[in-house]
Amino acid sequence: MRVRPIIERLAVEHADAAIALRFTTPLELLVSVMLSAQTTDVNVNRVTPALFSKYRRPQDYLSVPPEDLERDIYATGFFRQKAKSLRGTMKMLLEEFDGEVPRRVEELVRLPGVARKTANVVAAELGEPQGIVVDTHVRRLSQRLGLTREEDPVKIERDLQRLVPRRDWGRFPHLLIWHGRRVCLARSPRCHDCVVNDLCPSSRV
């Protein structure tokens, strides 16, 4: 099966592949991933140190006026919607989950502002991947590698789940993301530098 050598080679090539967001607790992870929508991880990491020193528990996000939270996350963009989602999520965490971040995807997606991709990231980083994260890099590279012909992220995820061994569901997206950033660039893929070019139907080598 072609996907196994792809994973093995990328794992050697990108041994440091991991989530770029910085966090220390499940709550910080959840908040970071929610803030990362429509912006870069670098941008989120600039905002979160001050944010996490001020907001340590779900209650903290609800104890300030919405405008304060909006100001504190302003630099991540779409700050009004994100603040509304964060407050709604914190309220539900307190009311339904004893203030703890749930580990199951089906529970995570019930939180305001948490779609399947966000839920998959959180579950995987907490050590319990239940799906495969499909972001722009994963979508582009899985199509280039011929692992899917689909355009819809849900259908792409379904294809990948059939191909990728379950034990690799957590690290597989990281490998594609880092390969997409470093080698398989969107406009000019560096096929000559690619460790999987002989396994890739899109290779220009």
Side-chain angles (χ1 to χ4, degrees):
M1 196 161 87
R2 205 162 45 90
V3 78
R4 289 179 189 273
I6 288 173
I7 293 169
E8 286 163 8
R9 292 187 204 176
L10 292 180
V12 173
E13 184 74 1
H14 307 289
D16 59 340
I19 191 168
L21 295 169
R22 292 199 285 269
F23 59 92
T24 56
T25 67
L27 186 64
E28 289 181 2
L29 166 64
L30 175 61
V31 171
S32 294
V33 181
M34 290 176 71
L35 291 178
S36 70
Q38 309 293 315
T39 191
T40 63
D41 293 346
V42 171
N43 210 10
V44 174
N45 288 337
R46 284 199 198 104
V47 168
T48 48
L51 188 75
F52 294 155
S53 66
K54 180 175 178 180
Y55 303 89
R56 298 177 183 274
R57 305 165 306 153
Q59 297 92 313
D60 299 335
Y61 289 84
L62 299 170
S63 64
V64 299
E67 301 76 38
D68 285 13
L69 181 56
E70 289 174 2
R71 198 177 314 116
D72 290 333
I73 64 170
Y74 176 82
T76 67
F78 299 94
F79 59 94
R80 286 200 182 87
Q81 183 55 50
K82 288 179 181 179
K84 184 180 175 187
S85 295
L86 282 173
R87 287 171 63 87
T89 281
M90 299 307 161
K91 188 167 183 287
M92 186 178 279
L93 288 181
L94 289 168
E95 289 175 355
E96 298 193 29
F97 299 103
D98 295 323
E100 299 294 324
V101 176
R103 306 284 175 124
R104 304 300 305 169
V105 165
E106 59 267 23
E107 293 177 331
L108 284 161
V109 294
R110 290 177 49 218
L111 300 170
V114 176
R116 182 167 176 85
K117 180 185 144 191
T118 299
N120 269 335
V121 172
V122 172
E125 293 305 315
L126 293 179
E128 298 178 32
Q130 293 141 55
I132 294 175
V133 175
V134 177
D135 76 343
T136 51
H137 290 293
V138 175
R139 174 181 170 177
R140 180 166 54 81
L141 268 69
S142 58
Q143 289 169 339
R144 278 186 179 170
L145 286 163
L147 302 177
T148 184
R149 290 179 177 172
E150 301 292 349
E151 293 290 336
D152 176 61
V154 174
K155 292 178 179 175
I156 292 172
E157 182 183 2
R158 208 171 292 142
D159 283 349
L160 294 178
Q161 282 177 307
R162 281 196 288 264
L163 294 171
V164 176
R166 189 171 182 116
R167 68 174 183 276
D168 293 315
W169 284 7
R171 70 171 177 163
F172 182 73
H174 291 312
L175 296 174
L176 289 195
I177 289 166
W178 285 92
H179 196 61
R181 287 174 179 166
R182 292 169 170 169
V183 180
C184 193
L185 311 177
R187 293 193 177 166
S188 53
R190 293 169 34 219
C191 296
H192 284 282
D193 300 322
C194 178
V195 294
V196 294
N197 58 30
D198 59 317
L199 300 170
C200 178
S202 308
S203 174
R204 298 171 190 178
V205 174

